[in-house]
Amino acid sequence: MPLRPLLSSTTPMLISRQTLRAQVRAARKALSIEQQNQFANQACQRAIQLITERGVKRLALYLANDGELDTQPLIDALWQRGIEVYLPRLHPFSPGNLIFLAYRVDSPLIKNRLGILEPKLAITQMRLPHQLDMVITPLVAFDANGNRMGMGGGYYDRTLAYWPLMGKPLPVGYAHDCQQVSHLPCEHWDVPLPMIITPTRIVNGA
């Protein structure tokens, strides 16, 4: 059975972003290994269907940590289909922004200053956001309107701020069902997502 959203429609929303972030992170970390594997495979099937329908050729996503919905089944499926896969990397010259580098089976990875694995910098393997067809973003929490809460660094909000004007890349959230909340407090810089993939459904947002 799908997990219910962490906060119901009757839950008071007088709650700080920090508290909400901590609650949702705890909920996804509480999932068992069996649940994580099952949900990752279910989400992968939904993602592949969407990616195929949209004719995506270049796609960026993340490597899961901290209980995030695992992307490895999706990465394997993309490689098998010949779709170019990219991972985010902290921009070396523009603090707070991301670039994306090609990710293959033999790609060397290093930990960045946040403790997250990212590809070694190689200019020939780099793509700017508008050169990608789709970016599957990690998130901590989301609501039915496509509002997204990340870890607080604002990296994806800055990177995707101009996608509606350029038409690329399409940002798609990827999350466990338990990461949905009834209402997400937002700031003016937050970039809403047109859709979020979960193990049980695709949520159409902004």
Side-chain angles (χ1 to χ4, degrees):
M1 295 179 60
L3 298 179
R4 299 181 63 183
L6 181 66
L7 300 181
S8 71
S9 59
T10 59
T11 303
M13 291 311 300
L14 298 177
I15 182 173
S16 71
R17 291 169 69 94
Q18 293 81 1
T19 299
L20 180 58
R21 189 175 284 119
Q23 289 181 354
V24 180
R25 289 176 66 192
R28 72 186 185 190
K29 283 183 179 180
L31 297 173
S32 67
I33 294 176
E34 291 76 15
Q35 287 176 311
Q36 282 278 7
N37 291 337
Q38 176 188 344
F39 296 158
N41 288 323
Q42 291 174 340
C44 173
Q45 294 175 8
R46 296 183 186 280
I48 286 296
Q49 181 177 349
L50 176 66
I51 290 163
T52 301
E53 290 173 351
R54 291 186 170 261
V56 171
K57 302 299 182 185
R58 290 177 176 171
L59 180 146
L61 42 60
Y62 62 93
L63 296 179
N65 68 85
D66 192 51
E68 292 171 335
L69 183 56
D70 190 5
T71 56
Q72 193 57 54
L74 179 54
I75 292 171
D76 293 338
L78 294 170
W79 282 339
Q80 291 172 4
R81 288 163 173 77
I83 296 173
E84 295 182 23
V85 177
Y86 294 82
L87 293 181
R89 178 188 167 89
L90 299 181
H91 199 297
F93 311 121
S94 180
N97 289 287
L98 300 174
I99 57 175
F100 298 92
L101 282 87
Y103 180 48
R104 304 180 181 90
V105 176
D106 58 351
S107 295
L109 299 174
I110 58 175
K111 281 190 176 182
N112 62 26
R113 59 180 177 79
L114 302 176
I116 298 172
L117 288 173
E118 63 180 18
K120 292 183 65 175
L121 184 61
I123 299 301
T124 58
Q125 303 299 310
M126 185 181 75
R127 293 288 182 269
L128 298 175
H130 70 271
Q131 296 176 306
L132 302 170
D133 299 314
M134 181 181 290
V135 172
I136 291 182
T137 74
L139 55 88
V140 174
F142 70 95
D143 64 21
N145 295 318
N147 294 311
R148 169 189 179 274
M149 176 185 286
M151 287 295 291
Y155 292 96
Y156 279 92
D157 290 318
R158 295 185 194 94
T159 301
L160 299 170
Y162 298 104
W163 88 264
L165 297 176
M166 307 190 72
K168 292 175 68 175
L170 177 69
V172 177
Y174 207 60
H176 292 290
D177 289 284
C178 67
Q179 293 176 242
Q180 183 174 358
V181 299
S182 59
H183 174 75
L184 198 57
C186 298
E187 302 289 351
H188 65 86
W189 57 77
D190 291 330
V191 176
L193 301 172
M195 59 188 68
I196 299 118
I197 297 171
T198 80
T200 64
R201 66 202 190 283
I202 294 180
V203 179
N204 292 311

